Amino acid sequence: MDPNRIIQALKGTIDPNLRIAAETELNQSYKIINFAPTLLQIIVSDQVEFPVRQAAAIYMKNMVTQYWPDREAPPGEAMLPFNIHENDRQNIRDNIVEGIIHSPDLIRSQLAVCLRAIIKYDFPGRWTAVVDKIGFFLQSPNNASWLGSLMCLYQLVRTYEFKKAEERDPLIAAMQIFLPRIQQKIFQLLPDSSQLSVLIQKQILKIFYALVQYALPLQLVNKQTMTQWMEIFRTIIDRDVPPETLQVDEDDRPELVWWKCKKWALHLVARLFERYGSPGNVTKEYIEFSEFFFKTYAVGIQQVLLKLLDQHRQKQYVAPRVLQQVLNYLNQGVNHSLTWKQMKPHIQSISEEVVFPLMCYKDEDEELWQEDPYEYIRMKFDVFEDHVSPTIAAQNFLYTAAKKRKEVLPKMMSFCYQILTIPSEDPRKKDGALHVIGSLADILLKKNIYKGQMELILQSYVFPLFNSELGYLRARACWVLHSFCKLKFTNDLNLRNAVELVKKSLIEDKEMPVKVEAAIALQSFISNQDQAKLYIKHSVRPVMQELLHVVRETENDDLTNVIQKMICEYSEEMTTIAVDMTQHLAMTFSKVLQSDAYEEVEDKTVMAMGILNTIDTILTVVEDHKEITQQLEGICLQVIGLVLQKHVIEFYEEVLSLAYSLTCQVISPNMWQLLGVLYEVLQQDCFEYFTDMMPLLHNYVTVDTDAFLSNPKNVEIIYNLCKKVLTGDAGEDAECHAAKLLEVIILQCQGKGIDQCIPLFVEAVLERLTRGVKTSELRTMCLQVTIAALYYSPMLLVHTLENIRFSHSAEPITAQFINQWMNDTDCFLGLHDRKVCIIGLSTLMEMQNRPEAVNAVAAQILPSLLLLFLGLKRAYASKITNDQDENGEEDEDAEENEEIPSDEDDIREAGQQYLDMLEQHQVEEDEEDDDDDEWDEDGLEETALEGFSTPLDEDNYVDEYQIFTSALLRIQSVDAAWYQTLTAPLSEDQKKQLQEIFTLTEQRKNAEESKKIEGQGGYKFDMTAPVPTMFSFGATRGNN
């Protein structure tokens, strides 16, 4: 392979004028043997221009991630998909570690992704040598080669980072070699504060974190080695950052390696404390370690962290992420008496001089609010930001301390109250005080001493802020009202004022962050206060219009949730504005989808998804208003069309849900056309989205069956989709859904002349049964389609079975089907599946010209039916239990006290029980046998597919009890010999069970007749009146 040719093509990809031709050249070359190794040579060559090397690294990263693993040919295709040739793979394995070690940072990071993909697929099987190779370079005295070697080791550890402990053996074996070596190295480097030294230290900390963050390998980390590591972490946390770093701009300092190294050391001690070192809150295997860790290290580490907090308190610079991790550690320490005693003398100072300032409005907040209010909103509502924010860490720490330690709340409330009562106090401090009080709302509302004061505090210090000239104080006022939305107001006027103030802020305030907070506060009041819902009832239209405007402007996903909840709260009022709202939402969705930033910004995807869900909510709310639904259909079809036209697959699930909602009551000509469009668009993605399509396809079959059958193309489309799923590699869940849909068609179209479809349906499912089936669900579902065909027309099914031949056998499949059915009768679960099986067996045993295979299993038929009836009885009982409302009311007014004395630990019993339960569940999961027949049916009274109803599931359509008893009575009267053959194998106990079924059948029959008489306006059963002798009602309905 000519390297120069590839270099020229790569150079062309950087030039917009040459890009298309260059990409064409590369696409024609990448499958040629030796292309990938040549690419690696270009990447590591110092003779090649750096931009070209970078382009080569990106191209190689994409190649390796896509084409490294072996892949099988798609179903029905003989040609294997392209993979990097094994010779090329070996060449890359031989050279990539050296490539990473000798490359500059920007290229190293791309090659590291390649290495991780290779390790994922090839280690330990094809590439145990990677351990030796990394080990060789880790013996080098050259620090420069250490950095690259550690990057390689990091990829190895990260590959196993989230695997279960028992799956990490190859990593543990490697780390037996590497862990002592990297510990020795970091210990040697501690006195050296040069940038390269600290970079290496940081990389070692990252390796250790990936090794222990999910599971602590106790066989690697004994008490002695942990003590050495903890001393290393303590030293890094405690040491001073070079003073020259203060010359760097404050915004850039967190990126300096000295602060990053400190951050990782803190990340480690906080994680070790939280997950493995907190007695009473760990799983069994870590109990001994947690006690050792806590007694040996917890206080010593906390001492260093308190020193860091004091530096911050004295206005010395501490990086935000370092501060955040310090507070996370202290948050854990609050729960334990030993660490609390050390912390307690400083808690007031920490609360007032560290936590409180962090919770106040800051210069950087003001700068962002003024320069980019939309970014301010995005940052405030970003859940990822919460995980790194010192403000959120401060808030969490204060909440835990106030909840668990009685000394904290009174002093903090007194401190905040003092700030609020001074008229001339700094407005930013007032913001901080309200931030503190709102953060503690849950605790304050559960304590009698405080909850009675909260209404007065809102009235005196929060309501007036709605007139403030400062936008951030108006936003904070909204936020505080949101925090206290569950407060029981003693004066309705105060509640009305609160609602009016947030409504006015939403509609009239000029600053967008205020509007967003107001929207969330308003919805929370409406959801939690019945009176608030009434206050807003006559303002629904302007409120919803403003909400839509704010959503469109901010593209904030939290607000789409607000709109959805408001729609549900005001379902009646929604009918007048549903069309306008949906039109507005559709325009916003189109704007988001077609914006230039859509591809890059994940938030936009979440927000667009929220819009689709909101439209779906509107459809659900107005589903009983046919004329409104008709108007909404056109708007929704435009949205569906846009998604399908652009092939935005991440929204397929949502648009299929929209289509489902539009077809629940009636199916218009446009919606019938959509079926054909969906078939064309989704043919390629049929496997992945079939389960999402299933509710919609079920509607097409069942909502207007006559219209469905009037166009043969409809049946053909659904059959082809099901067939494609059953013959492909969609997975057994999708295959179960496909088989279920075929069963639904057969049962739905009983007596509607689909005889020509039956052989196709039966052959499709039985062919699937001849291939390997892992789960009993798929096996029974395929059998169920054939049983439904038996119910549809016994003679047609027998004729079909006799004429089906599969390549592996020249014999008809009849006997195989019946034998498999008999073997699997205990796998039919839930109401519907058992009902179908009982009706099928009843039909089978009553057939005049039954196949010989039926006679061969005669002894199994009635015992199987008895087993099914037993399960059915339990399923009916379970359904009745589930239908009953078991919601009990709790006393919300009872005061809750979760404080713990200073000399006690917070051992979370509920948390420990949960951890133990998880552990037990894991043990059970590990011991679980693949044999589905060992499942406990009691927990599976309803199957996942029962929601896709058929006529058999309708009340009074057919009674399986009457079908069975009638069939057996007819056999007894017309074919005594067959009756004797069927009943002879029954034990006395089974005969008794059979008699009970007869009795229950009569009871069900009488109950049904009573219901009919009552429904016709005849005799009404009175529980208190004597039963007239002229009527016989049999058993009450409770026996059903």
Side-chain angles (χ1 to χ4, degrees):
M1 193 80 209
D2 180 9
N4 290 322
R5 186 175 163 189
I6 299 174
I7 289 169
Q8 290 307 311
L10 290 166
K11 199 177 281 187
T13 62
I14 303 165
D15 185 338
N17 298 320
L18 303 174
R19 183 176 298 149
I20 294 173
E23 287 176 352
T24 304
E25 170 74 21
L26 290 170
N27 289 337
Q28 289 171 352
S29 306
Y30 77 90
K31 293 183 181 180
I32 299 171
I33 290 179
N34 209 34
F35 177 86
T38 306
L39 211 54
L40 183 57
Q41 289 171 20
I42 293 166
I43 292 165
V44 300
S45 172
D46 291 334
Q47 308 304 313
V48 179
E49 297 170 52
F50 187 77
V52 175
R53 293 172 66 187
Q54 208 172 350
I58 293 168
Y59 198 93
M60 183 166 177
K61 177 189 72 175
N62 295 334
M63 262 195 85
V64 168
T65 51
Q66 191 172 354
Y67 301 124
W68 193 273
D70 291 325
R71 297 180 298 159
E72 296 179 359
E77 293 185 22
M79 186 176 291
L80 288 169
F82 171 70
N83 298 109
I84 296 172
H85 193 275
E86 180 54 31
N87 289 349
D88 287 0
R89 287 193 280 201
Q90 188 56 50
N91 191 319
I92 292 167
R93 283 192 289 257
D94 290 342
N95 294 289
I96 192 165
V97 171
E98 289 90 336
I100 290 172
I101 288 168
H102 297 124
S103 295
D105 287 345
L106 286 172
I107 288 173
R108 182 181 286 156
S109 60
Q110 303 289 348
L111 288 179
V113 177
C114 296
L115 178 63
R116 189 145 147 235
I118 295 167
I119 289 171
K120 178 183 175 182
Y121 295 113
D122 289 3
F123 180 80
R126 294 179 177 176
W127 197 25
T128 52
V130 67
V131 173
D132 299 329
K133 184 154 283 205
I134 294 171
F136 172 77
F137 286 104
L138 285 180
Q139 290 172 329
S140 167
N142 181 359
N143 279 353
S145 70
W146 261 81
L147 196 55
S149 312
L150 289 169
M151 177 77 88
C152 296
L153 178 56
Y154 185 50
Q155 305 315 310
L156 176 64
V157 178
R158 285 199 68 192
T159 305
Y160 288 86
E161 186 170 9
F162 299 105
K163 289 186 182 289
K164 296 175 185 174
E166 61 271 21
E167 296 173 349
R168 302 178 94 200
D169 288 348
L171 175 68
I172 301 302
M175 293 309 288
Q176 298 275 14
I177 303 165
F178 295 136
L179 199 59
R181 204 175 291 176
I182 63 174
Q183 186 188 69
Q184 183 184 7
K185 185 67 175 179
I186 194 171
F187 193 77
Q188 291 170 354
L189 290 173
L190 285 178
D192 180 357
S193 62
S194 68
Q195 185 162 352
L196 179 58
S197 166
V198 179
L199 265 174
I200 293 171
Q201 293 172 47
K202 183 197 79 169
Q203 191 62 56
I204 291 172
L205 294 177
K206 288 176 72 174
I207 290 167
F208 194 84
Y209 185 83
L211 178 66
V212 303
Q213 84 134 327
Y214 186 70
L216 183 66
L218 294 170
Q219 64 270 52
L220 283 179
V221 188
N222 58 32
K223 291 178 181 178
Q224 182 184 348
T225 55
M226 182 51 83
T227 299
Q228 292 165 350
W229 278 109
M230 291 302 291
E231 181 56 30
I232 289 166
F233 304 151
R234 191 198 63 76
T235 303
I236 291 172
I237 295 165
D238 195 30
R239 71 186 177 192
D240 292 333
V241 171
E244 60 267 23
T245 60
L246 293 173
Q247 306 305 313
V248 177
D249 187 279
E250 193 168 309
D251 290 342
D252 298 328
R253 278 181 222 163
E255 295 305 308
L256 296 174
V257 68
W258 296 274
W259 283 116
K260 280 193 165 186
C261 190
K262 207 179 276 281
K263 177 195 78 175
W264 277 103
L266 275 156
H267 211 17
L268 266 161
V269 295
R271 182 63 171 172
L272 288 167
F273 190 14
E274 173 207 18
R275 193 169 176 86
Y276 313 110
S278 184
N281 301 307
V282 297
T283 48
K284 286 177 183 173
E285 69 267 35
Y286 302 124
I287 288 174
E288 184 184 341
F289 177 85
S290 70
E291 290 167 356
F292 166 76
F293 180 97
F294 185 73
K295 289 173 184 172
T296 313
Y297 315 123
V299 172
I301 292 291
Q302 188 171 273
Q303 183 66 47
V304 179
L305 303 195
L306 290 172
K307 179 182 165 187
L308 262 176
L309 275 192
D310 195 54
Q311 289 173 5
H312 174 77
R313 186 181 67 83
Q314 294 179 35
K315 310 301 181 191
Q316 295 178 34
Y317 179 80
V318 177
R321 287 297 306 280
V322 168
L323 197 56
Q324 181 232 359
Q325 290 295 338
V326 169
L327 290 165
N328 284 350
Y329 187 99
L330 295 182
N331 192 20
Q332 195 71 30
V334 168
N335 296 308
H336 299 279
S337 60
L338 207 60
T339 40
W340 171 246
K341 281 176 183 173
Q342 184 192 35
M343 198 189 308
K344 186 179 173 183
H346 311 289
I347 190 65
Q348 189 168 358
S349 172
I350 292 171
S351 300
E352 295 176 8
E353 299 179 60
V354 176
V355 169
F356 178 75
L358 283 170
M359 295 180 73
C360 292
Y361 191 73
K362 293 178 274 296
D363 288 344
E364 55 264 36
D365 295 323
E366 177 65 17
E367 186 180 340
L368 191 56
W369 180 301
Q370 296 301 333
E371 290 182 1
D372 191 346
Y374 295 102
E375 178 60 21
Y376 178 89
I377 293 164
R378 190 204 64 75
M379 191 189 73
K380 289 295 176 187
F381 289 92
D382 186 353
V383 291
F384 299 109
E385 190 72 28
D386 289 353
H387 291 297
V388 299
S389 162
T391 300
I392 299 298
Q395 183 177 307
N396 293 339
F397 167 73
L398 184 62
Y399 182 88
T400 304
K403 188 175 185 179
K404 300 295 181 185
R405 301 298 175 180
K406 64 183 180 183
E407 303 91 333
V408 177
L409 188 59
K411 290 180 180 176
M412 200 62 196
M413 285 300 291
S414 174
F415 174 77
C416 291
Y417 190 72
Q418 194 174 355
I419 290 170
L420 292 175
T421 52
I422 300 172
S424 59
E425 186 60 271
D426 181 353
R428 292 190 179 187
K429 286 190 175 181
K430 290 194 174 186
D431 173 78
L434 290 172
H435 191 176
V436 167
I437 292 170
S439 300
L440 302 177
D442 284 353
I443 303 169
L444 295 168
L445 290 178
K446 289 174 183 173
K447 291 189 178 293
N448 293 330
I449 191 172
Y450 294 111
K451 67 181 178 183
Q453 302 175 26
M454 286 302 112
E455 187 172 348
L456 184 61
I457 286 179
L458 296 182
Q459 185 183 354
S460 303
Y461 304 112
V462 178
F463 289 0
L465 294 182
F466 282 91
N467 296 318
S468 171
E469 294 179 358
L470 300 169
Y472 70 85
L473 280 182
R474 300 197 301 276
R476 179 62 68 199
C478 293
W479 181 85
V480 173
L481 290 183
H482 166 215
S483 301
F484 285 97
C485 64
K486 294 181 181 178
L487 173 66
K488 291 191 174 179
F489 285 84
T490 56
N491 184 342
D492 278 349
L493 187 60
N494 285 331
L495 174 59
R496 183 186 283 274
N497 279 343
V499 174
E500 282 297 319
L501 287 166
V502 290
K503 184 188 83 173
K504 188 177 179 184
S505 294
L506 170 63
I507 295 172
E508 297 179 11
D509 204 294
K510 303 300 181 196
E511 307 224 38
M512 197 57 78
V514 181
K515 285 178 173 288
V516 172
E517 291 289 1
I520 292 167
L522 186 62
Q523 180 266 308
S524 62
F525 267 111
I526 290 165
S527 295
N528 289 284
Q529 305 269 2
D530 291 338
Q531 281 300 114
K533 185 177 177 182
L534 293 174
Y535 296 150
I536 295 295
K537 192 168 184 179
H538 300 296
S539 306
V540 170
R541 180 181 282 272
V543 165
M544 296 303 277
Q545 285 174 338
E546 194 58 40
L547 276 172
L548 289 167
H549 168 70
V550 176
V551 164
R552 197 166 182 182
E553 288 294 309
T554 63
E555 299 180 356
N556 181 282
D557 181 50
D558 291 82
L559 292 184
T560 57
N561 294 330
V562 167
I563 292 176
Q564 285 182 51
K565 289 175 182 174
M566 293 282 283
I567 290 167
C568 296
E569 293 287 354
Y570 294 103
S571 53
E572 288 183 22
E573 289 76 14
M574 278 305 302
T575 54
T576 61
I577 57 172
V579 176
D580 287 346
M581 276 194 68
T582 308
Q583 188 76 58
H584 201 114
L585 288 163
M587 289 168 63
T588 306
F589 178 79
S590 177
K591 174 194 163 194
V592 171
L593 203 62
Q594 296 177 351
S595 68
D596 294 336
Y598 171 72
E599 298 291 341
E600 293 87 42
V601 183
E602 187 178 341
D603 286 356
K604 288 185 179 286
T605 304
V606 175
M607 192 264 177
M609 205 169 280
I611 291 174
L612 294 177
N613 290 328
T614 306
I615 295 173
D616 210 352
T617 305
I618 294 173
L619 287 172
T620 305
V621 164
V622 301
E623 64 183 354
D624 294 330
H625 301 267
K626 190 182 291 186
E627 68 288 353
I628 297 174
T629 306
Q630 286 172 352
Q631 292 179 66
L632 296 181
E633 185 183 282
I635 303 168
C636 293
L637 281 170
Q638 290 174 7
V639 170
I640 293 167
L642 183 64
V643 170
L644 297 178
Q645 182 187 345
K646 284 179 154 286
H647 294 280
V648 191
I649 60 173
E650 56 261 45
F651 297 141
Y652 280 5
E653 184 179 342
E654 282 71 26
V655 296
L656 289 167
S657 180
L658 283 181
Y660 164 77
S661 297
L662 291 167
T663 53
C664 285
Q665 307 285 339
V666 66
I667 302 178
S668 70
N670 284 336
M671 293 309 295
W672 281 115
Q673 284 183 5
L674 179 66
L675 177 60
V677 174
L678 283 170
Y679 178 61
E680 294 301 323
V681 171
L682 296 178
Q683 275 213 30
Q684 299 306 313
D685 306 311
C686 165
F687 296 158
E688 193 174 343
Y689 295 98
F690 189 81
T691 53
D692 297 322
M693 291 174 71
M694 180 71 175
L696 172 61
L697 297 177
H698 181 261
N699 276 358
Y700 277 123
V701 174
T702 58
V703 170
D704 190 347
T705 306
D706 291 338
F708 171 68
L709 293 175
S710 67
N711 184 352
K713 192 78 179 168
N714 295 333
V715 185
E716 184 185 334
I717 284 172
I718 290 187
Y719 166 71
N720 285 339
L721 285 171
C722 294
K723 174 88 176 194
K724 188 166 185 178
V725 170
L726 287 166
T727 54
D729 58 356
E732 295 202 356
D733 184 41
E735 290 174 309
C736 283
H737 282 76
K740 179 68 184 180
L741 193 55
L742 295 178
E743 184 216 12
V744 169
I745 295 173
I746 295 170
L747 295 175
Q748 188 72 30
C749 301
Q750 180 86 5
K752 292 184 182 289
I754 59 160
D755 293 23
Q756 73 283 4
C757 300
I758 299 298
L760 295 171
F761 291 6
V762 170
E763 185 170 2
V765 293
L766 292 183
E767 190 281 327
R768 179 63 190 90
L769 269 181
T770 62
R771 290 180 278 122
V773 175
K774 294 177 184 175
T775 62
S776 62
E777 290 95 329
L778 180 57
R779 212 164 52 242
T780 53
M781 202 59 252
C782 289
L783 290 170
Q784 222 163 281
V785 175
T786 316
I787 298 167
L790 175 69
Y791 175 62
Y792 177 91
S793 171
M795 296 313 297
L796 177 57
L797 177 69
V798 170
H799 179 74
T800 299
L801 292 175
E802 290 297 318
N803 286 283
I804 289 177
R805 300 284 189 281
F806 292 122
S807 56
H808 59 82
S809 172
E811 295 299 312
I813 202 166
T814 311
Q816 294 175 52
F817 159 64
I818 289 170
N819 290 333
Q820 187 71 59
W821 184 4
M822 289 300 112
N823 289 337
D824 282 338
T825 49
D826 61 333
C827 296
F828 285 78
L829 306 173
L831 279 170
H832 173 85
D833 295 6
R834 288 184 176 115
K835 199 171 186 176
V836 169
C837 197
I838 288 168
I839 292 170
L841 286 172
S842 303
T843 306
L844 191 70
M845 69 182 186
E846 200 186 1
M847 284 179 68
Q848 294 293 317
N849 301 313
R850 55 185 174 270
E852 184 56 39
V854 179
N855 297 330
V857 296
Q860 295 173 251
I861 293 176
L862 283 180
S864 295
L865 278 158
L866 292 173
L867 182 70
L868 286 162
F869 274 115
L870 190 66
L872 192 66
K873 187 176 179 183
R874 191 166 61 238
Y876 275 122
S878 175
K879 184 174 186 290
I880 290 167
T881 303
N882 291 338
D883 288 344
Q884 291 171 348
D885 184 14
E886 297 175 348
N887 293 334
E889 291 187 12
E890 295 178 11
D891 181 9
E892 293 179 5
D893 291 332
E895 178 167 2
E896 291 185 26
N897 184 9
E898 298 183 51
E899 292 168 355
I900 43 179
S902 291
D903 59 348
E904 289 184 16
D905 292 337
D906 178 23
I907 297 176
R908 302 173 202 165
E909 292 181 9
Q912 184 58 47
Q913 288 167 6
Y914 178 67
L915 289 168
D916 290 343
M917 183 194 76
L918 282 180
E919 187 178 332
Q920 179 60 32
H921 176 73
Q922 188 62 55
V923 169
E924 289 168 3
E925 196 177 78
D926 294 342
E927 292 173 354
E928 187 180 81
D929 194 285
D930 285 338
D931 188 354
D932 295 286
D933 296 341
E934 294 183 12
W935 282 17
D936 176 12
E937 287 183 19
D938 290 336
L940 295 167
E941 289 306 349
E942 183 172 329
T943 67
L945 295 171
E946 281 196 25
F948 300 109
S949 60
T950 72
L952 286 187
D953 306 308
E954 296 172 13
D955 290 341
N956 305 324
Y957 184 81
V958 291
D959 184 347
E960 63 280 9
Y961 281 84
Q962 292 182 44
I963 286 177
F964 165 67
T965 51
S966 299
L968 200 55
L969 286 170
R970 276 194 295 271
I971 293 167
Q972 187 180 15
S973 63
V974 301
D975 193 345
W978 177 233
Y979 180 81
Q980 179 61 28
T981 305
L982 288 169
T983 56
L986 297 181
S987 66
E988 287 304 314
D989 190 44
Q990 287 173 323
K991 287 176 183 174
K992 187 180 173 185
Q993 289 177 38
L994 190 59
Q995 190 56 50
E996 287 172 359
I997 291 169
F998 277 114
T999 305
L1000 190 53
T1001 303
E1002 284 303 307
Q1003 292 172 351
R1004 289 168 68 90
K1005 190 176 180 182
N1006 291 337
E1008 189 181 324
E1009 287 173 3
S1010 300
K1011 197 173 180 182
K1012 279 181 184 174
I1013 293 169
E1014 187 181 324
Q1016 291 163 359
Y1019 181 78
K1020 192 168 184 178
F1021 191 78
D1022 183 355
M1023 292 295 289
T1024 61
V1027 180
T1029 54
M1030 68 187 74
F1031 292 110
S1032 175
F1033 287 94
T1036 62
R1037 289 181 212 167
N1039 292 325
N1040 278 6

